[in-house]
Amino acid sequence: MLQPAHPSVETRASWVVASVVLLVMAVAFGAPWITIVALKNIAAEVNGERSIPAFASALMWIGAGLGGIVMGRAAHRFGVRLTFVFGAAMIAVGLALSTLGPSLPLYVGHGLFIGFLGIGGINAPSYIYVSQWFDRRRGSALALISSGSYLAGALWPSVFARSIAYAGWRETMLYFAVFEFLLIVPVSIIALRKPPETVQQAAALSATDGKTSVMGWPPNLVFALQLGAIFTCCIPMSMPQAHLVALCSDLGISAAHGAAMVSVLLAAAFMSRQVWGVISDRIGGLYTMLIGSALQAFGMAAFLLTQDEIGLFTVAALFGLGFSGLVPANVLASRELFPAGDAYWRMPSLLLFSGWGMAGGGWLAGILYDHYGYYAPAFATGLGVNMINLALVSALAFRKRWTVAYA
């Protein structure tokens, strides 16, 4: 269905590059997890207000989205090797600054350095870069690298929980700052090189957009609906990830078990995202988004109805299986609907709205908890936003089906 007519650019080197980018993403996205795992510890220093560390995490996502716009253009001009090295250095600086304590150093460290300059220099450029190495299995490749944030969530929370209990959250940030810098910089310099280019790709990248409509609608309307869809899918997506450890603590479940629960959620997301990538290669991005949105809504409803530890472990795994295909499917849909020459700004724009959704969801859950004293109102709000997402994705998916049927 989605196979190109020209000779494929994919080789074994394409998958080596994608695997290296996955490793870099898994390490880079480990940095903000320290604040999530230490949410109650940090909040204890500011009269127990969980909205303060939650807002720091929100600023990281907002900064990463905005930074992706700037760094996507920088990578387009200078190459991803430079933005990766710069991003790794800025993540280390942001973690060191955050140790000076809540609230202002934590906000600046997360929003500007870890988010805007750090992950912003790695995340969005990764999607653009890796998509240039693939044409036949682009959905699978994008699903693989986008799993880096989930792999980080599966690996690091349990490690950080033990490190925080032993040494404290400040020391954990400093240890990880050194580790991520010493790993990402040499790997990026050695492994990342200029992507392949064919005659057909060069023509596509240099061509201007001659489309006056997409699926019979104005292109900017379709893209606006995509932006709305990725924003509204990420609000409920972020709530369990950002607050599950704290929720478990409220229910009398240990922080270590809560961190393990987050790891289960994101391990399930990592594994299932590879399956979603294969599915999206077959049915396309929009239809994959539709299925994922429905499954995420089911998961949010299940969180509202579950209180015991075994039940939460089960729901966490099911939630991870359901939502994991949404973001890469949205990015893939953009590549399917719009010219390749638009990728350097459309992909970062989608990831910007994704970051805003992740930021808004985690912060909103913290605000609602501070107001009501428990998490049910926050998760109910997330479910409501998910239904808006389902409506937006349905409009795009059924419009595509209608245009194909009557073309």
Side-chain angles (χ1 to χ4, degrees), residues 99 134 198 241 316 337 350 392 394:
T99 62
F134 292 86
T198 66
Q241 296 181 58
L337 295 171
L350 286 169
L392 290 172
S394 297

Side-chain angles (χ1 to χ4, degrees), residues 26-43 45 53-54 56-57 60-61 91-92 94-99 106 109-110 114 119 149 152-165 167-180 241-242 245-246 255 259 262 266:
V27 175
F29 273 98
W33 276 105
I34 301 173
T35 302
I36 293 173
V37 175
L39 187 143
K40 289 187 72 174
N41 305 72
I42 298 172
E45 299 185 15
S57 296
M60 189 284 299
W61 284 109
I91 290 172
L95 286 169
L97 180 60
S98 296
T99 62
L106 193 70
H110 277 63
I114 297 176
I119 292 177
S149 59
L155 292 175
W156 297 118
S158 295
V159 175
F160 292 154
R162 287 167 173 78
S163 177
I164 291 166
W169 64 270
R170 288 179 171 85
E171 289 74 9
T172 299
M173 285 185 176
L174 293 175
Y175 298 154
F176 190 76
V178 174
F179 170 78
E180 66 87 19
Q241 296 181 58
V245 176
V262 174
L266 292 166

